[in-house]
Amino acid sequence: MRISRRAVAAATVLATVLPLSACGGGSDSDSSDASGDIKGKITFQTWNLQANFKDYFNGVIKDFEKEHPGTTVKWVDRPAEGYSESLSADAAGGTLPDVVNIAPDLVAPLAKAGLALDLDKDTTAASYRKEYLDGAWKSHQIPGLEGTYGFPWYLNTGPMFYNKRLLKDAGLDPENPPKTYDELFDQGLKIAEQTGGKVATLGQVPTIEDFGRYGAELMNKEGDAFTFNDAKGVAMLARYKELFDKKALDPQVLTATPETTGTKFLTEAIAMNPGNAHDLETFKKDAPSLYKNIGITDQITSTGKVNMYVMGVMVNSKTKEKPAAVAFAHYVTDPTRQMSFAKKVAIFPSTAGSLEDPYFNKEDGTDETRVRIAAAKSLKKAVNYTPVLFSEQMKTELRNNVAKALQGKQSPQAALDQAVEACNKLLKQS
């Protein structure tokens, strides 16, 4: 099971469905502290994890209940499809679980509606902050609100895979792949030129994370307006337009999905594609000719910092069993549990010091371990480039305007100006 990318992230659904009476900014200001007796019945909701990790979570729950007699944890697992809709329904109906598996963009509307506990305000929750990587803790902070609204849980990042044969055939050094975007653009143009446009380098259009890794300022310092139409953003989109014109982007790039792009890479129709350690197993099984020529390098970035994806655990500010809810949310995400979970699936712990474990540092000669070690190293300086307030609707606006620029219907500057205008309008409506 792949959980390196979130299957859904429609935070705008939450923003529109939550009752207006719940809005008002921030978590309960008069909530009691979570320092009381840890007891009572709480509900814990996860996001599409039961099918593959039933024994693991049942074990975690059993251990917690044993350590805290008088507590009962009911586990509910929701499918990936419709997860945000189920959250919005629970929030609107007053049935939000006590502890919820969440991502930063999904916690934002809940925090604004006062339904997410501010961990920084709660003395007990705040005392755990030192256990987590600083960047991971900050990932659940919301622009415009003070506080932190979720315990960091697992992180993920991944390398860039590339086809050594395709680079070599184009006269490039297969042992020296591009590291920055400008190097990527230059090598992509050469591959297209040498193959007469038959081999593309990339299979997807740039996302908000790409603009961040290129060095564009995604939002202003106040966090109330998007600004990725700056000089850096325009320059990057102009280079993508050049790639598109020279057939260095796949012909179906405007309608591509991660799945279709992955297939293109498997069939050696494109030279480079991001991924994770799970993909190596697929290459071995389904594309042995690709696997023997596979190259593994860091994510492309011009800032020196790669992108990381973050998952978290939120405490419902309205829970009737706050001490138990906070204790369990911390228990699931503490260093011991995070290390245990990381060894069952290709994710990384967000707890301080965990990435120093030999599991993330000791080579054993396998590609899988090589990927894991490289990713763990990069996470120490990684950034969650996706703005917490960047909704699915905003992602669509960006994608549509990028497509207009690539097709020549608008200049890169005009396309990004329009995308920023649309996203800022949506931001004010949220």
Side-chain angles (χ1 to χ4, degrees), residues 43-343:
T43 300
F44 169 50
Q45 179 172 293
T46 54
W47 187 346
N48 195 34
L49 296 176
Q50 193 170 49
N52 293 282
F53 306 106
K54 184 176 182 179
D55 290 343
Y56 171 77
F57 285 104
N58 282 335
V60 169
I61 291 169
K62 182 178 179 180
D63 291 344
F64 178 80
E65 292 175 342
K66 184 177 181 180
E67 288 188 28
H68 301 284
T71 60
T72 301
V73 180
K74 178 184 178 182
W75 178 26
V76 176
D77 188 68
R78 300 284 192 184
E81 184 176 357
Y83 190 75
S84 60
E85 288 85 349
S86 71
L87 281 179
S88 68
D90 287 338
T95 57
L96 196 68
D98 303 280
V99 180
V100 184
N101 175 193
I102 202 131
D105 56 344
L106 293 184
V107 81
L110 295 172
K112 288 183 177 182
L115 297 176
L117 181 69
D118 180 355
L119 304 185
D120 292 336
K121 272 186 182 177
D122 185 278
T123 305
T124 301
S127 69
Y128 298 129
R129 176 170 184 165
K130 62 183 180 295
E131 297 182 17
Y132 302 88
L133 295 171
D134 188 56
W137 185 269
K138 291 178 179 177
S139 67
H140 286 78
Q141 294 176 351
I142 315 300
L145 295 181
E146 293 184 1
T148 303
Y149 296 92
F151 284 102
W153 195 7
Y154 55 84
L155 310 175
N156 220 328
T157 189
M160 176 69 84
F161 291 116
Y162 67 98
N163 190 315
K164 290 184 177 182
R165 181 185 65 81
L166 294 180
L167 266 65
K168 184 178 180 180
D169 289 349
L172 298 170
D173 182 358
E175 303 305 324
N176 188 29
K179 295 178 175 59
T180 68
Y181 277 92
D182 287 330
E183 290 175 356
L184 172 68
F185 299 145
D186 291 342
Q187 292 196 24
L189 290 172
K190 186 167 184 180
I191 291 172
E193 179 184 0
Q194 293 296 316
T195 63
K198 293 181 180 179
V199 176
T201 297
L202 298 175
Q204 294 194 62
V205 298
T207 63
I208 193 67
E209 294 94 339
D210 288 299
F211 284 92
R213 285 182 298 198
Y214 192 72
E217 290 294 331
L218 304 183
M219 295 193 80
N220 62 12
K221 292 181 180 180
E222 294 74 24
D224 59 7
F226 293 103
T227 57
F228 51 84
N229 58 336
D230 64 1
K232 284 278 189 179
V234 173
M236 190 187 77
L237 186 53
R239 293 301 311 264
Y240 264 92
K241 165 65 172 165
E242 186 180 8
L243 293 183
F244 186 80
D245 290 343
K246 300 292 186 179
K247 298 184 179 180
L249 295 183
D250 185 75
Q252 281 78 49
V253 68
L254 297 180
T255 57
T257 66
E259 291 74 24
T260 60
T261 305
T263 299
K264 293 273 187 176
F265 186 68
L266 274 177
T267 58
E268 303 188 65
I270 59 174
M272 305 187 74
N273 197 49
N276 62 46
H278 282 302
D279 294 317
L280 289 169
E281 301 171 9
T282 302
F283 300 156
K284 285 181 182 179
K285 179 182 176 181
D286 299 337
S289 62
L290 168 65
Y291 182 74
K292 71 179 182 180
N293 288 301
I294 201 71
I296 306 171
T297 190
D298 291 337
Q299 283 183 28
I300 303 297
T301 175
S302 297
T303 65
K305 296 181 179 181
V306 304
N307 185 61
M308 70 175 175
Y309 298 88
V310 186
M311 194 62 76
V313 175
M314 184 199 87
V315 175
N316 181 354
S317 66
K318 308 295 184 181
T319 179
K320 296 179 180 179
E321 304 292 350
K322 184 175 291 183
V326 169
F328 185 73
H330 169 251
Y331 192 80
V332 170
T333 63
D334 73 8
T336 300
R337 256 54 60 177
Q338 289 216 38
M339 273 302 303
S340 177
F341 194 39
K343 291 181 179 181

Side-chain angles (χ1 to χ4, degrees), residues 390-402 423:
F390 202 70
S391 68
E392 284 298 303
Q393 196 171 354
M394 295 172 188
K395 292 175 186 177
T396 299
E397 289 287 350
L398 175 58
R399 186 179 180 90
N400 289 344
N401 282 285
V402 163
C423 290

Side-chain angles (χ1 to χ4, degrees), residues 367-396:
D367 286 337
E368 289 85 352
T369 299
R370 177 187 167 194
V371 171
R372 182 170 66 244
I373 290 174
K377 183 179 179 180
S378 69
L379 276 171
K380 295 175 183 178
K381 296 193 299 181
V383 173
N384 180 20
Y385 283 107
T386 305
V388 174
L389 299 176
F390 202 70
S391 68
E392 284 298 303
Q393 196 171 354
M394 295 172 188
K395 292 175 186 177
T396 299

